[in-house]
Amino acid sequence: MSRLAKFDVVSIEDLETSDIERVFALADGFAAQLEHGDQITTAAGLIMATLFYEPSTRTRLSFESSMHRLGGSVISSADMHASSAAKGESLADTVRVVAGYADLIVLRHPHDGAARVAADYAPCPVLNAGDGSREHPSQTLCDLYILRKKKGHLKGLTVALCGDLKHGRTVHSLIYALARFGANIVAVPTSGMNVPDYVLERLATERNYSLSTVTMDELKSLAGGLDALYLTPSAPHQMALFTGDGALRPIPAAEPPAALDAFYVTRLQKERMSGKEAGAGEYVRFDARALRTSRTQEAVVMHPLPRLGELAYELDADPRAVYFEQAAAGVPVRMALIALLMEKAAGASTGPRPIAEAIRFKTEPLPRCSNPNCVTRFEGAYLAPRFTLGRGIDTTVLALKCGFCERELKTEYVGHARTHRYYRFDENQQGYVRQWIEEGSLAVFESRKQAEEAGYEPYRRGPQREIMNQEEVVGAIESLADQVIADVHDMPAVSIVGVVSHGAMLALRLRDLIGAKTGVLAPCAALDAYKPADALHPIDGAENFSVEDRIIILVDDVINSGWTVQRAMATIWQRGRPAAVKLAVLIDRGHRAVPIRPNYVGKNIPTSSGERVQVRLAAAGAESKSHDRVMIYSIVEPLKEPEAAH
Ligand code: NCD
């Protein structure tokens, strides 16, 4: 039986800001005591178990050293191949057994979400020492501790994260923490190694934060002394501010930062890459020149280590190279983390954050996480799927967020387990889905075939009604063009971005109309908020589409919850800093889940949540507009149709 209260640190977000501050204060104290050679007995009588399913030097040895320095003891399985894991013992069983021998468990594991599993099964506290490519919270404590020590504070610092930002778990935990402390994050990913979507999503939804990305070339020109990098943003992107009075506006443009405060460099995480990723392009490499420009001379160079080729050894002698200090901070900081757990045991602070309640699926087939490295794909049937409703809801896909690895599973077909009916999801049916989740009767299917094989029949759709005819659609688009012209005086500064697919068609028609009326043909781009790799591409002849300093007219056919628009906004802000973003929609359905109000509306059509609006548009340049119309229909309300039940 552990002598510590059950308090797990699976994510850096499990620690309150006050916890992190407390860790820093305790670490300062321990560092001073270590310096004086004091005998410390804080953790006398406590036993820590380190279970490492992956190689480690710093993390395991500094955790173990910390516990010894605190006067406690350590038992260790540093090579799990020598443990019963090699015989196929599950993680759940292993941690339950080990919890009988120790007061806390420190776990490193190759699978995303493994620390969550361990925390759920172990009766003692579990500290995540790295789970797959997901998180590494104790490394972040070391990173923040050193960064703050060097700079005196964290708020307002501009930190460039460089390298493999996709698989680097230290980076993911650090991003959440930097956002929380109000630092500006500039991501400089190696090609194809961007910060993953689920991390950006979490930043946006939980912290209202969007980081900016610059290319390796821009970084090189900075590091090579050309001093040409324009860093955005100079303040964290606060999405909530876009929408203060219902209009979409960026926060006022501020001066670009005079300097970078830190480079955080990471190695390529080869062991986490799939075959097709292996040929990644040029990788960042820092040498002494990187710190010679006016913008970088105050910067510290950080690295969680181990380094490969990305930091030249010549940097080591420079006082701004702080990576060995980060590694050394591992001892006082991890001592502080253990001491914090002991304070939790003494009731000094509140418990961990509650975990959102998972959706109960009663029907087979149960959904399966789509992340090939999710712990649920390896641990076997004892791990029931755990999903909550994702926030990245596409208009045509229901996103379920895995409670272990946080990746979103996108499902197209949803069913109602009592009536055995299914339909192809679209966001207008969110109301039903939420209701079914509450009843425990939601079923999800990968395909129509899977639904039919499970004995489900398609919902019958209600009668279709035309709510806008050709003339009305043409009139509404005209009206949008007029609204834009009346509102925006600097037409040459306008660029138009259409959300695929109908928004992009509408964008071109709007551009042509505005062009005919004003003589200015705006550059156009299509934005697919759900395909980040190709999120914003020029359409119809526009080249080198840039959002920088432009007045962006964001165009979509229908706005309902506003999620797609919110996501589109985040994508735009990631590409640079526009002068303003204005939203134009053909139809406003008015069931907003996020505080966004369009600036230009073709027509307001209040509809009920079970109704589906279908927009048909003629292509820009088409002679005849006879294709233009808007239809509405409803799927049959399942609960009012008991005779349909099987
Ligand atoms: C990191 C890790 O294991 O995630 N190392 C560490 O703990 N300091 C970084 C890495 O392996 O690249």
Side-chain angles (χ1 to χ4, degrees), residues 58-59 108 136 139 169-170 267 269 304-306:
R58 272 153 296 276
T59 306
R108 170 167 289 187
H136 193 347
Q139 178 66 43
R169 55 194 174 198
T170 66
R267 76 179 166 97
Q269 306 275 310
L305 302 179

Side-chain angles (χ1 to χ4, degrees), residues 52 54-60 108 129-132 135-136 138-139 143 167-171 264-269 271-272 303-308 310 327 334:
F52 277 61
E54 258 194 357
S56 167
T57 304
R58 272 153 296 276
T59 306
R60 183 172 67 83
R108 170 167 289 187
D131 61 332
E135 278 205 56
H136 193 347
S138 68
Q139 178 66 43
D143 299 340
H167 305 99
R169 55 194 174 198
T170 66
V171 167
Y264 189 93
V265 190
T266 60
R267 76 179 166 97
L268 184 65
Q269 306 275 310
E271 71 275 31
R272 302 195 204 290
H303 196 302
L305 302 179
R307 66 175 146 182
L308 299 175
E310 58 281 354
R334 290 185 170 107

Side-chain angles (χ1 to χ4, degrees), residues 25-45:
L26 286 164
D28 283 341
F30 288 131
Q33 282 180 292
L34 291 175
E35 182 102 331
H36 296 147
D38 292 355
Q39 193 73 23
I40 303 167
T41 55
T42 310

